[in-house]
Amino acid sequence: MESLSRVSTIAYPALCAGSALALFLLISTWLRPTIEDRVPLPPGPQPLPLVGNLFALDRARPWLTYTEWGKRYGELVTVRLFGKVYIIVNSAKVAKALIDRHSAVYSDRPVIATSKLFGMDFNTAHLRYGDRWRAHRKMFHQVFRAEAVTTYHSLQTQKAHQLVRDLLDSPENFIRHLGSMSTSVIMAIVYGYEMSPQNDPFVEGISKLVGMTSSALTPEKAIILGAIPLLQRLPAWFPGAGFKRSATQCRKLAPEVITAPFDLVKERMASWTASQSMVSDLLEQIDQKDRVAQEQVIKDCATSAFLAGADSTQATLLTFVMAMVLHPEAQTRAQAEIDAVVGKDRLPDFSDRPSLPYVDAVLRETQRWGALVPLAVPHVAISDVVYEGYLIPKGAAVITNLWAMAKDNNVYSDPAQFNPERHITRDGRLSETFTDVSWGFGRRVCPGRYLADASVWIAIASILATLNIGKATGKAGYEIEITPEFSAGLAMYVHTNSIFLSPLFRD
Ligand code: HEM
């Protein structure tokens, strides 16, 4: 008893002193200016209470507003939506300095609340920074790194030749043909699967999933649902909550779409009839102790590759077609280059690429002019960074405005103009100063970029070598004029009803 009271007499003053110290530390932490008090956020438009800058934003094409704000406030702009901070990066120079240089800090993604709702949370592009994402990127690196993708060149060449044949057979279906080429490259590489030219069950399943997600989730809805996750709990009958019905269908469809082509590869491997593919190669290397988890990663990566790679390649080719119809002079110059280097007795192949700088300039300009993924995918800062006197606070979504970078007046003269010559030096070489922003930045940079670049290059080189793409003629015999139109969305597609194509076999 005595010893107990001794302990308490010793402990009590110590406890009091400890509490006083804790209180002092707590108060001084409250009073101590935080980094946000000392370092300002980048400038930006004045937010309204609660909604922030929502009403000032072109919600269908937010990149246009961000670009305008970039001109007013600078290369870094702070935007607030429903209390969340978004830092918009409007210049490639700053994106490189910030995201490429501090890539570990910017490798996270925001919680894309709708991703789970739509059953799309397997998608590599949506994964938070962590072990699961690292396992995905390891697989992508193995299959799609620069040295590995050269093994697909002959397959991509065959598909490009098939595209030319299809365009000649039924030019009116050019959109479908460009889509088939893009999709069939991915299906062959990922699953070793030769898809049927029409109504392929696997492709239809994935396309349905993509279609349902993108039509239910316009960028506008995505912004609002992302900012107020509670809205996702609204019942499907609630006015404006129709997306919940699509979400339920997507959640049912997604596991089927992910599993069906994967299971086919496994079946074919079991019967020794599988062609070599990303899935079969990865399955062969699987560690049996961790089979279930690793199979899931392979399945998820395979579907992510399809989701990210098929439409984007097709959309780039559509932009190329539109550019060629509108700019016959660029088409003629590229064809003359191919004729001079390759001749007329064979088609271009990848070994010709270094000798065809103008064709590469056309490709670069197609990507710059079309700015396919205008806001890339948001990154998230995992710690505070001070850049040029401004704070990029921990937890802020960092949005790279690839649109503004591709149309930057300080980098490109007359940026709205399609002009491949801007990428050619006086002595006719491909300029080395170009910063290609189309694939994003940092550790989340597009892992399919080498594959996509090769697919697009061989397709455009084969088309230019064999076909003249021009305006179609209407019933009265006049050429149909076209106005370039791009649809808005997470990716920007050429409005397919704004091109009328007439490919003619070249002499
Ligand atoms: C012309 C075609 C393509 C374009 C313009 C494109 C562009 C992009 C962009 C801008 C990003 C976001 C990068 C960032 O967060 O900074 C991205 C991410 C991604 N891309 Fe591509 N891409 C294309 C084709 C492909 C292909 C063919 C594949 C697969 C084979 C692919 C797989 C991915 C994946 C998995 C991600 C997410 C990466 C991550 O979050 O870690 N992409 N792409």
Side-chain angles (χ1 to χ4, degrees):
M1 189 67 191
E2 195 199 335
S3 67
L4 194 67
S5 77
R6 194 153 9 108
V7 169
S8 64
T9 45
I10 296 167
Y12 185 67
L15 196 70
C16 287
S19 312
L21 184 69
L23 194 66
F24 170 76
L25 286 175
L26 197 68
I27 291 172
S28 57
T29 314
W30 276 337
L31 294 181
R32 193 185 323 134
T34 63
I35 188 164
E36 286 188 44
D37 298 320
R38 283 178 285 130
V39 187
L41 295 175
Q46 191 61 32
L48 291 172
L50 213 71
V51 291
N53 304 110
L54 183 72
F55 296 127
L57 203 62
D58 176 341
R59 292 187 293 281
R61 292 178 168 79
W63 50 92
L64 296 183
T65 318
Y66 294 155
T67 307
E68 274 315 303
W69 287 342
K71 286 181 192 149
R72 206 172 313 156
Y73 301 104
E75 292 167 317
L76 284 175
V77 177
T78 302
V79 171
R80 288 173 195 271
L81 293 170
F82 300 99
K84 291 196 177 164
V85 172
Y86 295 76
I87 305 292
I88 315 297
V89 184
N90 280 315
S91 103
K93 192 182 88 213
V94 176
K96 279 166 81 176
L98 210 58
I99 302 177
D100 283 348
R101 188 124 10 107
H102 304 277
S103 60
V105 176
Y106 296 105
S107 294
D108 202 2
R109 296 282 196 216
V111 178
I112 302 180
T114 49
S115 175
K116 194 160 189 185
L117 187 70
F118 279 77
M120 304 291 270
D121 47 343
F122 64 87
N123 190 345
T124 314
H126 297 181
L127 293 183
R128 304 289 310 271
Y129 186 49
D131 288 344
R132 192 167 164 214
W133 170 74
R134 270 190 221 96
H136 277 225
R137 287 297 299 216
K138 200 171 154 203
M139 285 191 184
F140 275 110
H141 180 73
Q142 192 171 333
V143 184
F144 296 118
R145 68 185 189 281
E147 313 84 73
V149 296
T150 54
T151 53
Y152 310 126
H153 281 175
S154 69
L155 183 138
Q156 288 166 304
T157 308
Q158 273 171 35
K159 302 285 183 196
H161 295 175
Q162 183 60 46
L163 168 65
V164 169
R165 282 193 292 274
D166 291 343
L167 284 173
L168 275 171
D169 279 352
S170 57
E172 66 286 1
N173 295 328
F174 70 97
I175 296 162
R176 200 178 73 214
H177 301 323
L178 297 175
S180 296
M181 189 248 166
S182 313
T183 309
S184 64
V185 167
I186 296 275
M187 289 303 273
I189 293 172
V190 171
Y191 299 109
Y193 176 75
E194 273 306 315
M195 58 179 242
S196 19
Q198 278 179 40
N199 311 331
D200 185 275
F202 296 140
V203 176
E204 284 199 340
I206 302 193
S207 306
K208 196 168 162 200
L209 191 65
V210 174
M212 273 178 358
T213 324
S214 46
S215 59
L217 264 189
T218 56
E220 192 168 0
K221 272 201 189 122
I223 289 178
I224 296 174
L225 289 173
I228 318 178
L230 264 181
L231 291 180
Q232 294 173 46
R233 304 231 177 117
L234 289 176
W237 51 261
F238 199 81
F243 66 89
K244 294 273 302 231
R245 277 187 293 277
S246 314
T248 312
Q249 287 171 327
C250 280
R251 270 201 314 276
K252 272 199 202 122
L253 187 61
E256 249 171 68
V257 160
I258 297 170
T259 306
F262 178 86
D263 283 351
L264 181 73
V265 178
K266 277 180 78 176
E267 267 168 41
R268 287 182 175 172
M269 284 174 79
S271 59
W272 301 97
T273 54
S275 314
Q276 195 232 336
S277 69
M278 163 181 167
V279 170
S280 66
D281 285 354
L282 293 171
L283 277 172
E284 269 166 17
Q285 298 160 19
I286 220 163
D287 177 356
Q288 290 305 327
K289 277 187 274 163
D290 194 22
R291 195 176 55 79
V292 177
Q294 287 191 24
E295 283 197 358
Q296 193 60 49
V297 177
I298 299 174
K299 270 189 223 178
D300 293 349
C301 283
T303 318
S304 301
F306 185 96
L307 290 176
D311 280 5
S312 52
T313 306
Q314 179 195 24
T316 308
L317 290 174
L318 272 169
T319 308
F320 158 76
V321 164
M322 161 91 93
M324 292 301 97
V325 176
L326 290 170
H327 297 278
E329 71 295 343
Q331 180 173 206
T332 309
R333 183 167 169 188
Q335 289 170 330
E337 181 180 75
I338 293 177
D339 293 350
V341 172
V342 180
K344 294 208 166 192
D345 301 330
R346 66 175 181 89
L347 288 172
D349 61 39
F350 283 97
S351 67
D352 298 312
R353 191 165 180 177
S355 319
L356 297 171
Y358 195 79
V359 174
D360 250 313
V362 168
L363 193 163
R364 276 186 185 181
E365 189 63 352
T366 298
Q367 290 193 292
R368 187 199 68 79
W369 186 66
L372 180 70
V373 201
L375 296 178
V377 184
H379 295 234
V380 162
I382 56 172
S383 59
D384 290 328
V385 171
V386 176
Y387 176 78
E388 307 256 310
Y390 291 121
L391 175 69
I392 317 294
K394 177 179 171 181
V398 176
I399 309 226
T400 48
N401 186 355
L402 304 188
W403 166 268
M405 298 176 198
K407 314 278 167 167
D408 190 341
N409 273 313
N410 299 317
V411 181
Y412 304 107
S413 60
D414 199 2
Q417 193 60 26
F418 180 88
N419 175 18
E421 272 74 9
R422 66 172 93 243
H423 303 291
I424 296 289
T425 59
R426 281 211 189 128
D427 55 356
R429 286 179 297 118
L430 199 58
S431 97
E432 282 170 15
T433 54
F434 173 68
T435 303
D436 191 356
V437 300
S438 6
W439 316 106
F441 294 92
R443 293 191 194 171
R444 303 297 295 233
V445 69
C446 174
R449 61 198 182 283
Y450 302 111
L451 180 81
D453 171 72
S455 290
V456 175
W457 185 85
I458 193 68
I460 72 174
S462 307
I463 291 175
L464 288 165
T466 48
L467 306 172
N468 277 323
I469 303 174
K471 289 177 188 160
T473 33
K475 282 193 188 125
Y478 296 110
E479 282 186 339
I480 303 174
E481 288 306 322
I482 61 171
T483 321
E485 275 179 47
F486 293 89
S487 61
L490 298 179
M492 284 207 311
Y493 293 88
V494 168
H495 245 290
T496 42
N497 56 5
S498 70
I499 323 180
F500 301 94
L501 175 78
S502 153
L504 292 174
F505 203 49
R506 294 181 59 209
D507 299 331

